[in-house]
Amino acid sequence: MLMKRNSGKPLNSLFKPQDRYYVNNEGEWWFFTVDQISGPYSNKASCVDACRYYIQKRDGVL
């Protein structure tokens, strides 16, 4: 018998495609999730790291 998850959160929610990145015409990177917009960051790597940190903190991993 399969157990059904009732938490409402998707499996492996840390790096799902609902988390997006955006670079404006000044070369500044921003990330946005379903509940947060943050930026600017000077490069994509910094933006992705900040987004992952935010998601892990939000989801109680850190």
Side-chain angles (χ1 to χ4, degrees), residues 4-41:
K4 199 170 188 185
R5 291 189 61 193
N6 292 327
S7 70
K9 287 191 178 184
L11 292 173
N12 303 318
S13 64
L14 291 181
F15 309 113
K16 286 293 185 185
Q18 76 262 19
D19 303 306
R20 303 275 191 242
Y21 307 98
Y22 169 78
V23 62
N24 65 16
N25 50 357
E26 296 175 9
E28 298 171 327
W29 284 84
W30 295 75
F31 77 80
F32 60 95
T33 66
V34 294
D35 59 349
Q36 173 79 18
I37 296 174
S38 184
Y41 298 94

